PDB file of all heavy atoms in Angstrom:
ATOM      1  N   ALA G 139     245.351-132.333  55.520  1.00  0.00           N
ATOM      2  CA  ALA G 139     245.211-132.622  56.956  1.00  0.00           C
ATOM      3  C   ALA G 139     245.390-131.375  57.837  1.00  0.00           C
ATOM      4  O   ALA G 139     244.818-131.221  58.972  1.00  0.00           O
ATOM      5  CB  ALA G 139     246.249-133.671  57.285  1.00  0.00           C
ATOM      6  N   ARG G 140     246.257-130.430  57.288  1.00  0.00           N
ATOM      7  CA  ARG G 140     246.457-129.284  58.168  1.00  0.00           C
ATOM      8  C   ARG G 140     245.358-128.250  58.173  1.00  0.00           C
ATOM      9  O   ARG G 140     245.114-127.661  59.146  1.00  0.00           O
ATOM     10  CB  ARG G 140     247.750-128.554  57.665  1.00  0.00           C
ATOM     11  CG  ARG G 140     248.979-129.387  57.984  1.00  0.00           C
ATOM     12  CD  ARG G 140     249.963-129.272  56.779  1.00  0.00           C
ATOM     13  NE  ARG G 140     251.016-130.349  56.934  1.00  0.00           N
ATOM     14  CZ  ARG G 140     252.202-130.082  57.557  1.00  0.00           C
ATOM     15  NH1 ARG G 140     252.475-129.031  58.185  1.00  0.00           N
ATOM     16  NH2 ARG G 140     252.989-131.079  57.609  1.00  0.00           N
ATOM     17  N   VAL G 141     244.598-128.197  57.193  1.00  0.00           N
ATOM     18  CA  VAL G 141     243.331-127.391  57.071  1.00  0.00           C
ATOM     19  C   VAL G 141     242.300-128.041  58.039  1.00  0.00           C
ATOM     20  O   VAL G 141     241.710-127.307  58.725  1.00  0.00           O
ATOM     21  CB  VAL G 141     242.901-127.216  55.681  1.00  0.00           C
ATOM     22  CG1 VAL G 141     241.525-126.468  55.591  1.00  0.00           C
ATOM     23  CG2 VAL G 141     243.865-126.489  54.777  1.00  0.00           C
ATOM     24  N   VAL G 142     242.221-129.336  57.941  1.00  0.00           N
ATOM     25  CA  VAL G 142     241.314-130.015  58.827  1.00  0.00           C
ATOM     26  C   VAL G 142     241.669-129.845  60.226  1.00  0.00           C
ATOM     27  O   VAL G 142     240.794-129.567  60.988  1.00  0.00           O
ATOM     28  CB  VAL G 142     241.378-131.577  58.496  1.00  0.00           C
ATOM     29  CG1 VAL G 142     240.487-132.412  59.512  1.00  0.00           C
ATOM     30  CG2 VAL G 142     240.905-131.798  57.136  1.00  0.00           C
ATOM     31  N   ALA G 143     242.998-129.832  60.604  1.00  0.00           N
ATOM     32  CA  ALA G 143     243.451-129.653  61.954  1.00  0.00           C
ATOM     33  C   ALA G 143     243.078-128.207  62.385  1.00  0.00           C
ATOM     34  O   ALA G 143     242.504-127.922  63.506  1.00  0.00           O
ATOM     35  CB  ALA G 143     244.900-129.846  61.970  1.00  0.00           C
ATOM     36  N   ALA G 144     243.390-127.276  61.555  1.00  0.00           N
ATOM     37  CA  ALA G 144     243.112-125.822  61.818  1.00  0.00           C
ATOM     38  C   ALA G 144     241.582-125.664  62.143  1.00  0.00           C
ATOM     39  O   ALA G 144     241.233-124.987  63.142  1.00  0.00           O
ATOM     40  CB  ALA G 144     243.472-124.919  60.671  1.00  0.00           C
ATOM     41  N   LYS G 145     240.750-126.196  61.380  1.00  0.00           N
ATOM     42  CA  LYS G 145     239.285-126.157  61.421  1.00  0.00           C
ATOM     43  C   LYS G 145     238.877-126.735  62.709  1.00  0.00           C
ATOM     44  O   LYS G 145     238.018-126.180  63.513  1.00  0.00           O
ATOM     45  CB  LYS G 145     238.666-126.900  60.343  1.00  0.00           C
ATOM     46  CG  LYS G 145     237.192-126.418  59.904  1.00  0.00           C
ATOM     47  CD  LYS G 145     236.916-127.075  58.640  1.00  0.00           C
ATOM     48  CE  LYS G 145     235.500-126.424  58.172  1.00  0.00           C
ATOM     49  NZ  LYS G 145     235.338-126.830  56.811  1.00  0.00           N
ATOM     50  N   ALA G 146     239.348-128.002  62.987  1.00  0.00           N
ATOM     51  CA  ALA G 146     238.988-128.596  64.257  1.00  0.00           C
ATOM     52  C   ALA G 146     239.397-127.845  65.518  1.00  0.00           C
ATOM     53  O   ALA G 146     238.610-127.752  66.514  1.00  0.00           O
ATOM     54  CB  ALA G 146     239.632-130.026  64.316  1.00  0.00           C
ATOM     55  N   ILE G 147     240.592-127.240  65.536  1.00  0.00           N
ATOM     56  CA  ILE G 147     241.079-126.460  66.622  1.00  0.00           C
ATOM     57  C   ILE G 147     240.312-125.266  66.754  1.00  0.00           C
ATOM     58  O   ILE G 147     239.784-124.907  67.944  1.00  0.00           O
ATOM     59  CB  ILE G 147     242.562-126.060  66.424  1.00  0.00           C
ATOM     60  CG1 ILE G 147     243.452-127.303  66.405  1.00  0.00           C
ATOM     61  CG2 ILE G 147     243.030-125.139  67.551  1.00  0.00           C
ATOM     62  CD1 ILE G 147     244.887-127.062  66.056  1.00  0.00           C
ATOM     63  N   VAL G 148     239.943-124.532  65.739  1.00  0.00           N
ATOM     64  CA  VAL G 148     239.078-123.262  65.793  1.00  0.00           C
ATOM     65  C   VAL G 148     237.739-123.580  66.333  1.00  0.00           C
ATOM     66  O   VAL G 148     237.233-122.955  67.232  1.00  0.00           O
ATOM     67  CB  VAL G 148     238.890-122.656  64.403  1.00  0.00           C
ATOM     68  CG1 VAL G 148     237.927-121.496  64.477  1.00  0.00           C
ATOM     69  CG2 VAL G 148     240.318-122.082  63.898  1.00  0.00           C
ATOM     70  N   SER G 149     237.172-124.841  65.928  1.00  0.00           N
ATOM     71  CA  SER G 149     235.838-125.159  66.395  1.00  0.00           C
ATOM     72  C   SER G 149     235.826-125.564  67.954  1.00  0.00           C
ATOM     73  O   SER G 149     234.776-125.586  68.535  1.00  0.00           O
ATOM     74  CB  SER G 149     235.185-126.374  65.521  1.00  0.00           C
ATOM     75  OG  SER G 149     235.889-127.428  65.833  1.00  0.00           O
ATOM     76  N   THR G 150     237.019-125.808  68.412  1.00  0.00           N
ATOM     77  CA  THR G 150     237.151-126.104  69.906  1.00  0.00           C
ATOM     78  C   THR G 150     237.096-124.721  70.662  1.00  0.00           C
ATOM     79  O   THR G 150     237.011-124.761  71.857  1.00  0.00           O
ATOM     80  CB  THR G 150     238.400-126.855  70.189  1.00  0.00           C
ATOM     81  OG1 THR G 150     238.592-127.857  69.308  1.00  0.00           O
ATOM     82  CG2 THR G 150     238.526-127.355  71.603  1.00  0.00           C
ATOM     83  N   GLY G 151     237.276-123.655  69.970  1.00  0.00           N
ATOM     84  CA  GLY G 151     237.317-122.345  70.582  1.00  0.00           C
ATOM     85  C   GLY G 151     238.778-121.830  70.835  1.00  0.00           C
ATOM     86  O   GLY G 151     238.930-120.879  71.597  1.00  0.00           O
ATOM     87  N   VAL G 152     239.631-122.436  69.973  1.00  0.00           N
ATOM     88  CA  VAL G 152     241.066-121.805  70.114  1.00  0.00           C
ATOM     89  C   VAL G 152     241.337-121.054  68.827  1.00  0.00           C
ATOM     90  O   VAL G 152     241.174-121.707  67.702  1.00  0.00           O
ATOM     91  CB  VAL G 152     242.016-123.023  70.347  1.00  0.00           C
ATOM     92  CG1 VAL G 152     243.481-122.630  70.319  1.00  0.00           C
ATOM     93  CG2 VAL G 152     241.773-123.718  71.619  1.00  0.00           C
ATOM     94  N   ALA G 153     241.981-119.927  68.957  1.00  0.00           N
ATOM     95  CA  ALA G 153     242.266-119.048  67.767  1.00  0.00           C
ATOM     96  C   ALA G 153     243.518-119.705  67.158  1.00  0.00           C
ATOM     97  O   ALA G 153     244.517-120.141  67.835  1.00  0.00           O
ATOM     98  CB  ALA G 153     242.496-117.638  68.156  1.00  0.00           C
ATOM     99  N   VAL G 154     243.569-119.726  65.817  1.00  0.00           N
ATOM    100  CA  VAL G 154     244.667-120.432  65.187  1.00  0.00           C
ATOM    101  C   VAL G 154     245.228-119.394  64.109  1.00  0.00           C
ATOM    102  O   VAL G 154     244.556-118.662  63.339  1.00  0.00           O
ATOM    103  CB  VAL G 154     244.193-121.688  64.261  1.00  0.00           C
ATOM    104  CG1 VAL G 154     245.432-122.148  63.497  1.00  0.00           C
ATOM    105  CG2 VAL G 154     243.614-122.652  65.317  1.00  0.00           C
ATOM    106  N   MET G 155     246.613-119.365  64.162  1.00  0.00           N
ATOM    107  CA  MET G 155     247.331-118.541  63.154  1.00  0.00           C
ATOM    108  C   MET G 155     248.003-119.517  62.088  1.00  0.00           C
ATOM    109  O   MET G 155     248.522-120.602  62.607  1.00  0.00           O
ATOM    110  CB  MET G 155     248.527-117.819  63.777  1.00  0.00           C
ATOM    111  CG  MET G 155     249.414-117.056  62.899  1.00  0.00           C
ATOM    112  SD  MET G 155     250.659-116.145  63.865  1.00  0.00           S
ATOM    113  CE  MET G 155     249.799-114.544  64.179  1.00  0.00           C
ATOM    114  N   GLY G 156     247.834-119.378  60.820  1.00  0.00           N
ATOM    115  CA  GLY G 156     248.375-120.321  59.831  1.00  0.00           C
ATOM    116  C   GLY G 156     249.779-119.827  59.448  1.00  0.00           C
ATOM    117  O   GLY G 156     250.273-118.791  59.839  1.00  0.00           O
ATOM    118  N   HIS G 157     250.485-120.650  58.565  1.00  0.00           N
ATOM    119  CA  HIS G 157     251.838-120.279  58.169  1.00  0.00           C
ATOM    120  C   HIS G 157     251.997-120.943  56.778  1.00  0.00           C
ATOM    121  O   HIS G 157     251.976-122.162  56.644  1.00  0.00           O
ATOM    122  CB  HIS G 157     252.854-120.889  59.194  1.00  0.00           C
ATOM    123  CG  HIS G 157     254.212-120.565  59.002  1.00  0.00           C
ATOM    124  ND1 HIS G 157     255.122-120.452  60.112  1.00  0.00           N
ATOM    125  CD2 HIS G 157     254.934-120.493  57.921  1.00  0.00           C
ATOM    126  CE1 HIS G 157     256.383-120.216  59.684  1.00  0.00           C
ATOM    127  NE2 HIS G 157     256.268-120.125  58.298  1.00  0.00           N
ATOM    128  N   VAL G 158     252.274-120.172  55.780  1.00  0.00           N
ATOM    129  CA  VAL G 158     252.543-120.720  54.400  1.00  0.00           C
ATOM    130  C   VAL G 158     253.737-120.111  53.813  1.00  0.00           C
ATOM    131  O   VAL G 158     254.534-119.219  54.422  1.00  0.00           O
ATOM    132  CB  VAL G 158     251.361-120.384  53.399  1.00  0.00           C
ATOM    133  CG1 VAL G 158     250.085-121.162  53.950  1.00  0.00           C
ATOM    134  CG2 VAL G 158     251.098-118.890  53.313  1.00  0.00           C
ATOM    135  N   GLY G 159     254.216-120.510  52.674  1.00  0.00           N
ATOM    136  CA  GLY G 159     255.418-120.160  52.035  1.00  0.00           C
ATOM    137  C   GLY G 159     256.471-121.153  52.418  1.00  0.00           C
ATOM    138  O   GLY G 159     256.273-122.337  52.332  1.00  0.00           O
ATOM    139  N   LEU G 160     257.689-120.658  52.898  1.00  0.00           N
ATOM    140  CA  LEU G 160     258.604-121.507  53.494  1.00  0.00           C
ATOM    141  C   LEU G 160     258.094-122.082  54.770  1.00  0.00           C
ATOM    142  O   LEU G 160     257.822-121.308  55.674  1.00  0.00           O
ATOM    143  CB  LEU G 160     259.956-120.828  53.682  1.00  0.00           C
ATOM    144  CG  LEU G 160     260.960-121.594  54.466  1.00  0.00           C
ATOM    145  CD1 LEU G 160     261.399-122.983  53.918  1.00  0.00           C
ATOM    146  CD2 LEU G 160     262.242-120.852  54.725  1.00  0.00           C
ATOM    147  N   MET G 161     257.845-123.420  54.892  1.00  0.00           N
ATOM    148  CA  MET G 161     257.490-123.969  56.047  1.00  0.00           C
ATOM    149  C   MET G 161     258.575-124.823  56.632  1.00  0.00           C
ATOM    150  O   MET G 161     258.815-126.009  56.145  1.00  0.00           O
ATOM    151  CB  MET G 161     256.202-124.787  55.781  1.00  0.00           C
ATOM    152  CG  MET G 161     255.015-123.860  55.460  1.00  0.00           C
ATOM    153  SD  MET G 161     253.620-124.793  54.898  1.00  0.00           S
ATOM    154  CE  MET G 161     253.998-125.318  53.215  1.00  0.00           C
ATOM    155  N   PRO G 162     259.251-124.313  57.657  1.00  0.00           N
ATOM    156  CA  PRO G 162     260.420-125.135  58.104  1.00  0.00           C
ATOM    157  C   PRO G 162     260.197-126.539  58.523  1.00  0.00           C
ATOM    158  O   PRO G 162     261.011-127.310  58.595  1.00  0.00           O
ATOM    159  CB  PRO G 162     260.977-124.227  59.323  1.00  0.00           C
ATOM    160  CG  PRO G 162     260.540-122.842  58.966  1.00  0.00           C
ATOM    161  CD  PRO G 162     259.169-123.019  58.312  1.00  0.00           C
ATOM    162  N   GLN G 163     258.944-126.846  58.994  1.00  0.00           N
ATOM    163  CA  GLN G 163     258.586-128.235  59.446  1.00  0.00           C
ATOM    164  C   GLN G 163     258.538-129.127  58.228  1.00  0.00           C
ATOM    165  O   GLN G 163     258.500-130.354  58.422  1.00  0.00           O
ATOM    166  CB  GLN G 163     257.288-128.292  60.223  1.00  0.00           C
ATOM    167  CG  GLN G 163     257.334-127.514  61.542  1.00  0.00           C
ATOM    168  CD  GLN G 163     256.091-127.555  62.328  1.00  0.00           C
ATOM    169  OE1 GLN G 163     255.142-128.247  61.957  1.00  0.00           O
ATOM    170  NE2 GLN G 163     255.960-126.786  63.361  1.00  0.00           N
ATOM    171  N   SER G 164     258.496-128.625  57.064  1.00  0.00           N
ATOM    172  CA  SER G 164     258.396-129.393  55.836  1.00  0.00           C
ATOM    173  C   SER G 164     259.650-129.469  54.971  1.00  0.00           C
ATOM    174  O   SER G 164     259.493-129.805  53.780  1.00  0.00           O
ATOM    175  CB  SER G 164     257.162-129.011  55.043  1.00  0.00           C
ATOM    176  OG  SER G 164     255.973-128.990  55.816  1.00  0.00           O
ATOM    177  N   ILE G 165     260.751-129.087  55.498  1.00  0.00           N
ATOM    178  CA  ILE G 165     261.854-128.967  54.642  1.00  0.00           C
ATOM    179  C   ILE G 165     262.326-130.391  54.018  1.00  0.00           C
ATOM    180  O   ILE G 165     262.856-130.307  53.031  1.00  0.00           O
ATOM    181  CB  ILE G 165     263.254-128.425  55.440  1.00  0.00           C
ATOM    182  CG1 ILE G 165     263.499-129.226  56.698  1.00  0.00           C
ATOM    183  CG2 ILE G 165     263.022-126.956  55.629  1.00  0.00           C
ATOM    184  CD1 ILE G 165     264.895-128.928  57.137  1.00  0.00           C
TER     185      ILE G 165
END
Side-chain angles (χ1 to χ4, degrees):
R140 287 141 194 270
V141 173
V142 172
K145 208 170 183 166
I147 297 171
V148 172
S149 70
T150 314
V152 176
V154 178
M155 176 180 273
H157 184 150
V158 296
L160 168 59
M161 292 173 285
Q163 291 179 11
S164 305
I165 52 160

